[in-house]
Amino acid sequence: MQRNTKSAPALPGRPLDRPIVLVGMMGVGKSTVGRRLAVRLGLAFVDADEEIEKAAGMTITEMFERYGEAHFRDGERRVIARLIEGAPKVIATGGGAFMQADTRALILAEALAVWLDADIDILVDRVSRREGRPLLKGKDARTVLSDLAAVRNPVYALAPIHIRSIAAPHEAAVEKIMKALDNWQ
């Protein structure tokens, strides 16, 4: 976990008193955008998937293969609950984290959820650049992502802030989030 010694920033008219949790499909840029957003806000950044791997002593792919998705999701919920505690920070979650009712309820109650959303073409391009995505293993990425989006997008829409990511540098999404935070009530 990266630590930042700066005090938590104040948004116009109010202090930032809770973590910002980025949710959305795999490949949308939650980790990259999250790191950049944390720098802009002067907050620590944590990637929930990296923290899960540290806690388990194995990769997410190994957890899926060895214990199955249900076991992984239980550990994921516990790690996210731990990450939400304490000082405000920016947290990037795995694509399926917000789909779990208990995890989603925790995030909505204790954090500010930001849904990063992108068109399937953008997601397919981005996931093709990185190995180790268990849900895509041996499958057509476009088909899997389209099917997942049909199920997940209505749930992601429960996040109070919705940011569309486009085929542009991730800094564009960071700017959109900063504007949304300025307007957040």
Side-chain angles (χ1 to χ4, degrees), residues 16-78:
L16 185 58
D17 63 349
R18 57 188 51 224
I20 296 170
V21 177
L22 303 178
V23 302
M25 294 284 290
M26 68 179 89
V28 78
K30 297 178 299 289
S31 295
T32 303
V33 169
R35 281 183 184 88
R36 293 175 184 191
L37 179 64
V39 168
R40 289 282 298 274
L41 291 170
L43 297 174
F45 169 78
V46 288
D47 183 304
D49 284 350
E50 290 175 6
E51 294 297 314
I52 292 163
E53 289 181 341
K54 283 182 203 171
M58 66 180 73
T59 68
I60 290 171
T61 300
E62 290 170 334
M63 281 181 264
F64 265 72
E65 289 172 356
R66 213 176 274 178
Y67 303 111
E69 186 175 0
H71 178 83
F72 168 76
R73 296 298 175 196
D74 182 56
E76 178 182 58
R77 177 190 47 74
R78 286 182 277 128

Side-chain angles (χ1 to χ4, degrees), residues 44-137:
F45 169 78
V46 288
D47 183 304
D49 284 350
E50 290 175 6
E51 294 297 314
I52 292 163
E53 289 181 341
K54 283 182 203 171
M58 66 180 73
T59 68
I60 290 171
T61 300
E62 290 170 334
M63 281 181 264
F64 265 72
E65 289 172 356
R66 213 176 274 178
Y67 303 111
E69 186 175 0
H71 178 83
F72 168 76
R73 296 298 175 196
D74 182 56
E76 178 182 58
R77 177 190 47 74
R78 286 182 277 128
V79 167
I80 290 172
R82 177 177 50 82
L83 296 176
I84 285 176
E85 293 177 356
K89 62 187 76 69
V90 177
I91 303 167
T93 62
F98 202 66
M99 297 306 297
Q100 309 308 305
D102 290 348
T103 305
R104 181 174 57 252
L106 173 70
I107 292 169
L108 291 173
E110 303 295 330
L112 176 58
V114 175
W115 173 28
L116 290 179
D117 185 18
D119 291 331
I120 295 297
D121 289 337
I122 293 170
L123 297 175
V124 170
D125 177 59
R126 290 178 181 168
V127 300
S128 69
R129 299 181 210 159
R130 185 173 148 213
E131 296 289 321
R133 297 187 184 268
L135 295 178
L136 297 180
K137 191 173 184 177

